[in-house]
Amino acid sequence: MEPSSKWKKLTARVGYSAKTVMYVMLGAFILTSVVNTLNREKASQSHVFITLKQQPLGQVFLAILVVGLACYAFWRWLQIVITEKSNDDNIFVHFINKLFFFISGAFYLVAAYAGGKTLLEVRSSESSQDNEKRISEFLMQYEWGLLLVAAIGLCIIIFAIVQFKHAFTSDFLDKFSMSSLSVFVKRCIKITGRLGYTARGLVYCLVGCFFVIAALLSNPSEAGGLQKALEILMEQPFGPYLIAGVGVGFIMFGLYCALEARYRKVDE
């Protein structure tokens, strides 16, 4: 194996391992919200960082997580360069894939930055839901702001549809050399991937709708993230069961990321 290939594989594995920690902890916090509705406020990325930091050797583990998230962001941007257009994709699909890699990388770089602020004890009194409202408020100051907020919402909804597509078609299996894996590992990849992508699709669909509604009503308070999505789900019939399903799904996605860290092909 060439040195550059080893370097790419190490970067990808560290990044997927960091995603494993983040999604498993998020899923665990979501499950606790079923027992205590007040804990919905803790089902956020920032609480993952704070909780990890409070553990024995927490600063070390949080620093490793931050580095891992940064590695994943870099891996996503690296995929923009190394991913070649397949014969089955048209130019538009190829461009969308590149755009997805860029946005995904930016998202996890922001997550790494937030984790770094927690590590350095730069605290903010605002929740993640407040941040979404602030973004909407800022954009709506301008004439084109409403359109941009709506566009952000539509992009998130499209991303949610892609998650559901992955869950339905199991096309994520193409990321692995399935012929070289045991039957048990293959089954684990398929089950955790399907459940994980379904849970992500549901949450992203709700978040995207929040942004679209905020634009249609010219009301930035309608925007929201994971916490607001959990509140909406709790208000539905069988709400606690829906939230429990999302929590399990997030944990499954975390385990799927662990399988990616171990078995994913990174050279294509």
XYZ file of all heavy atoms in Angstrom, residues 182-234:
397
model
N -17.552 -11.310 6.522
C -18.342 -12.440 7.004
C -19.829 -12.121 6.913
O -20.225 -10.946 6.808
C -17.971 -12.762 8.453
O -18.377 -11.709 9.311
N -20.655 -13.145 6.975
C -22.105 -12.959 6.908
C -22.584 -12.090 8.068
O -23.454 -11.226 7.901
C -22.824 -14.325 6.935
C -24.337 -14.138 7.008
C -22.447 -15.147 5.715
N -22.018 -12.295 9.252
C -22.418 -11.525 10.432
C -22.110 -10.042 10.251
O -22.957 -9.184 10.535
C -21.699 -12.052 11.672
C -21.958 -11.251 12.910
C -23.175 -11.339 13.565
C -20.984 -10.388 13.412
C -23.426 -10.579 14.715
C -21.232 -9.639 14.556
C -22.450 -9.737 15.198
N -20.913 -9.719 9.759
C -20.541 -8.315 9.558
C -21.418 -7.680 8.492
O -21.872 -6.537 8.640
C -19.048 -8.197 9.175
C -18.708 -6.757 8.783
C -18.162 -8.638 10.325
N -21.700 -8.414 7.423
C -22.577 -7.899 6.372
C -23.947 -7.553 6.932
O -24.527 -6.504 6.626
C -22.735 -8.928 5.257
C -21.499 -9.172 4.415
C -21.777 -10.255 3.386
C -20.533 -10.598 2.587
N -20.781 -11.703 1.622
N -24.478 -8.441 7.764
C -25.798 -8.209 8.354
C -25.766 -6.996 9.280
O -26.697 -6.177 9.272
C -26.249 -9.456 9.111
C -27.692 -9.359 9.635
C -28.129 -10.626 10.346
N -28.175 -11.750 9.422
C -27.398 -12.819 9.507
N -26.496 -12.904 10.480
N -27.506 -13.809 8.645
N -24.706 -6.863 10.059
C -24.583 -5.713 10.962
C -24.526 -4.402 10.189
O -25.161 -3.408 10.566
C -23.339 -5.859 11.839
S -23.461 -7.120 13.113
N -23.766 -4.376 9.111
C -23.658 -3.169 8.289
C -25.018 -2.786 7.725
O -25.424 -1.609 7.767
C -22.642 -3.380 7.145
C -21.218 -3.491 7.704
C -22.728 -2.233 6.140
C -20.188 -3.869 6.665
N -25.750 -3.766 7.211
C -27.042 -3.473 6.580
C -28.069 -2.997 7.598
O -28.784 -2.010 7.357
C -27.557 -4.729 5.867
C -28.773 -4.465 4.972
C -29.060 -5.652 4.073
C -30.174 -5.323 3.096
N -30.437 -6.453 2.168
N -28.134 -3.653 8.751
C -29.134 -3.291 9.757
C -28.836 -1.925 10.365
O -29.714 -1.047 10.427
C -29.195 -4.362 10.867
C -29.765 -5.667 10.303
C -30.068 -3.880 12.034
C -29.730 -6.815 11.280
N -27.590 -1.718 10.807
C -27.247 -0.432 11.428
C -27.345 0.711 10.423
O -27.789 1.805 10.768
C -25.826 -0.466 12.031
O -24.880 -0.819 11.003
C -25.744 -1.475 13.159
N -26.954 0.454 9.176
C -27.040 1.488 8.154
C -28.470 1.891 7.860
O -28.800 3.083 7.815
N -29.337 0.914 7.684
C -30.731 1.224 7.370
C -31.429 1.974 8.507
O -32.115 2.975 8.273
C -31.495 -0.068 7.047
C -31.297 -0.553 5.623
C -32.252 -1.672 5.272
N -32.487 -1.704 3.837
C -33.245 -2.599 3.225
N -33.842 -3.554 3.931
N -33.427 -2.552 1.919
N -31.250 1.498 9.724
C -31.883 2.161 10.864
C -31.291 3.551 11.083
O -32.013 4.514 11.364
C -31.713 1.314 12.124
C -32.476 -0.018 12.147
C -32.135 -0.803 13.413
C -33.971 0.216 12.061
N -29.982 3.663 10.948
C -29.325 4.943 11.156
C -29.722 5.988 10.136
O -30.053 7.132 10.489
N -29.715 5.617 8.861
C -30.098 6.574 7.820
C -31.565 6.962 7.922
O -31.932 8.113 7.626
C -29.806 5.986 6.435
C -28.356 6.136 6.018
C -27.547 5.022 5.819
C -27.795 7.392 5.813
C -26.218 5.147 5.434
C -26.470 7.539 5.434
C -25.687 6.407 5.246
O -24.373 6.551 4.872
N -32.425 6.044 8.354
C -33.839 6.379 8.532
C -34.012 7.426 9.625
O -34.758 8.398 9.454
C -34.646 5.117 8.892
O -34.546 4.163 7.822
C -36.114 5.462 9.103
N -33.328 7.230 10.749
C -33.425 8.195 11.850
C -32.894 9.558 11.427
O -33.515 10.598 11.714
C -32.650 7.677 13.058
N -31.778 9.576 10.732
C -31.224 10.858 10.267
C -32.175 11.525 9.279
O -32.367 12.743 9.307
C -29.859 10.631 9.611
C -28.783 10.203 10.577
C -27.449 10.846 10.294
N -27.044 10.788 8.907
C -26.008 11.473 8.411
N -25.307 12.256 9.209
N -25.665 11.372 7.150
N -32.760 10.731 8.398
C -33.691 11.287 7.422
C -34.882 11.946 8.086
O -35.315 13.041 7.683
N -35.421 11.311 9.128
C -36.571 11.873 9.832
C -36.221 13.201 10.480
O -36.957 14.193 10.343
C -37.047 10.877 10.895
C -38.189 11.346 11.800
C -39.424 11.673 10.976
C -38.511 10.289 12.849
N -35.094 13.257 11.183
C -34.707 14.493 11.871
C -34.414 15.602 10.870
O -34.881 16.746 11.023
C -33.490 14.243 12.786
C -32.947 15.567 13.322
C -33.875 13.326 13.944
N -33.649 15.298 9.821
C -33.319 16.326 8.839
C -34.552 16.813 8.097
O -34.646 17.999 7.735
C -32.291 15.795 7.836
C -30.872 15.802 8.368
C -30.136 14.625 8.481
C -30.269 16.984 8.757
C -28.843 14.625 8.970
C -28.973 17.004 9.246
C -28.266 15.812 9.355
O -26.990 15.826 9.846
N -35.523 15.929 7.872
C -36.757 16.341 7.209
C -37.498 17.368 8.052
O -37.970 18.392 7.537
C -37.636 15.112 6.954
S -39.106 15.448 5.964
N -37.578 17.122 9.354
C -38.232 18.070 10.253
C -37.482 19.399 10.305
O -38.086 20.474 10.223
C -38.334 17.468 11.653
C -39.341 16.319 11.837
C -39.200 15.708 13.219
C -40.759 16.808 11.611
N -36.160 19.335 10.428
C -35.356 20.563 10.507
C -35.510 21.385 9.225
O -35.661 22.617 9.267
C -33.875 20.229 10.753
C -33.008 21.490 10.655
C -33.693 19.595 12.137
N -35.493 20.719 8.073
C -35.679 21.423 6.808
C -37.036 22.094 6.729
O -37.153 23.250 6.270
N -38.074 21.396 7.200
C -39.418 21.980 7.205
C -39.481 23.204 8.117
O -40.172 24.181 7.801
C -40.441 20.938 7.654
S -40.754 19.624 6.444
N -38.750 23.166 9.243
C -38.736 24.318 10.142
C -38.213 25.556 9.423
O -38.763 26.657 9.569
C -37.861 24.036 11.372
C -38.365 22.921 12.248
C -37.486 22.164 13.010
C -39.716 22.621 12.309
C -37.948 21.144 13.824
C -40.188 21.595 13.114
C -39.302 20.847 13.872
N -37.145 25.405 8.655
C -36.574 26.544 7.941
C -37.524 27.047 6.857
O -37.675 28.260 6.666
C -35.223 26.164 7.327
C -34.059 26.324 8.264
C -33.682 25.300 9.113
C -33.347 27.505 8.306
C -32.614 25.445 9.988
C -32.276 27.676 9.174
C -31.913 26.637 10.022
N -38.170 26.144 6.136
C -39.114 26.549 5.089
C -40.293 27.298 5.707
O -40.719 28.341 5.199
C -39.610 25.316 4.300
C -40.733 25.717 3.343
C -38.466 24.690 3.518
N -40.826 26.779 6.808
C -41.944 27.441 7.487
C -41.529 28.814 7.999
O -42.281 29.793 7.904
C -42.458 26.561 8.648
C -43.105 25.288 8.093
C -43.459 27.325 9.513
C -43.476 24.278 9.153
N -40.295 28.894 8.537
C -39.789 30.187 9.018
C -39.756 31.206 7.883
O -40.089 32.386 8.077
C -38.398 30.017 9.617
N -39.376 30.765 6.684
C -39.330 31.670 5.535
C -40.731 32.062 5.076
O -41.005 33.237 4.788
C -38.570 31.003 4.387
N -41.640 31.085 5.039
C -43.002 31.363 4.572
C -43.733 32.306 5.520
O -44.511 33.163 5.082
C -43.786 30.056 4.430
C -43.330 29.102 3.321
C -44.131 27.801 3.368
C -43.477 29.766 1.952
N -43.479 32.174 6.815
C -44.157 33.006 7.814
C -43.353 34.246 8.191
O -43.807 35.048 9.010
C -44.429 32.179 9.075
C -45.323 30.949 8.913
C -45.505 30.242 10.249
C -46.681 31.336 8.325
N -42.154 34.380 7.601
C -41.250 35.489 7.940
C -41.019 35.557 9.443
O -40.959 36.633 10.050
C -41.806 36.827 7.441
O -41.983 36.803 6.047
N -40.895 34.388 10.048
C -40.759 34.289 11.497
C -39.559 33.412 11.835
O -39.642 32.182 11.778
C -42.025 33.692 12.111
C -41.975 33.653 13.631
O -40.998 34.095 14.250
N -43.027 33.131 14.246
N -38.419 34.023 12.192
C -37.210 33.239 12.468
C -37.352 32.287 13.647
O -36.607 31.317 13.761
C -36.148 34.308 12.751
C -36.910 35.535 13.104
C -38.184 35.471 12.312
N -38.302 32.547 14.552
C -38.476 31.669 15.704
C -38.982 30.288 15.310
O -38.937 29.350 16.107
C -39.433 32.296 16.722
O -40.734 32.413 16.182
N -39.499 30.166 14.083
C -39.969 28.863 13.610
C -38.813 27.934 13.261
O -39.001 26.721 13.159
C -40.873 29.034 12.379
C -42.182 29.735 12.659
C -43.098 28.913 13.551
O -42.959 27.681 13.572
O -43.952 29.514 14.232
N -37.616 28.498 13.036
C -36.465 27.665 12.704
C -36.009 26.909 13.948
O -36.213 27.349 15.076
C -35.318 28.534 12.162
N -35.391 25.756 13.736
C -34.929 24.967 14.875
C -34.145 23.762 14.414
O -34.127 23.435 13.225
N -33.505 23.106 15.365
C -32.681 21.949 15.053
C -33.191 20.693 15.729
O -34.396 20.443 15.799
N -32.264 19.900 16.241
C -32.601 18.607 16.821
C -33.563 18.744 17.996
O -34.531 17.981 18.110
C -31.321 17.901 17.271
C -31.501 16.559 17.991
C -32.222 15.553 17.113
C -30.143 16.012 18.434
N -33.329 19.708 18.877
C -34.188 19.852 20.053
C -35.637 20.124 19.657
O -36.569 19.534 20.216
C -33.667 20.975 20.946
C -32.308 20.683 21.577
C -31.770 21.865 22.353
O -32.531 22.711 22.817
N -30.459 21.941 22.490
N -35.830 21.011 18.683
C -37.188 21.321 18.258
C -37.822 20.121 17.565
O -39.027 19.868 17.712
C -37.198 22.536 17.325
C -38.607 22.995 16.969
C -38.624 24.348 16.297
C -40.047 24.792 16.019
N -40.113 26.155 15.422
N -37.019 19.370 16.812
C -37.538 18.171 16.159
C -38.055 17.183 17.205
O -39.117 16.565 17.038
C -36.454 17.527 15.303
N -37.318 17.035 18.309
C -37.758 16.129 19.371
C -39.035 16.635 20.038
O -39.920 15.844 20.396
C -36.646 15.981 20.419
C -35.355 15.304 19.941
C -34.334 15.256 21.077
C -35.624 13.909 19.408
N -39.146 17.955 20.182
C -40.364 18.519 20.772
C -41.578 18.238 19.888
O -42.653 17.877 20.382
C -40.195 20.033 20.959
C -39.179 20.408 22.032
C -38.895 21.895 22.065
O -39.526 22.629 21.262
O -38.064 22.335 22.869
N -41.405 18.389 18.571
C -42.505 18.113 17.639
C -42.895 16.644 17.697
O -44.082 16.287 17.710
C -42.114 18.508 16.204
C -41.896 20.027 16.113
C -43.172 18.069 15.207
C -43.133 20.853 16.382
N -41.906 15.765 17.728
C -42.192 14.335 17.789
C -42.919 13.977 19.085
O -43.817 13.133 19.082
C -40.888 13.528 17.683
C -40.215 13.517 16.311
C -38.885 12.768 16.394
C -41.116 12.877 15.265
N -42.540 14.609 20.200
C -43.163 14.312 21.486
C -44.636 14.689 21.484
O -45.452 14.088 22.191
C -42.424 15.049 22.605
C -42.946 14.743 24.002
S -42.808 12.998 24.455
C -41.083 12.922 24.954
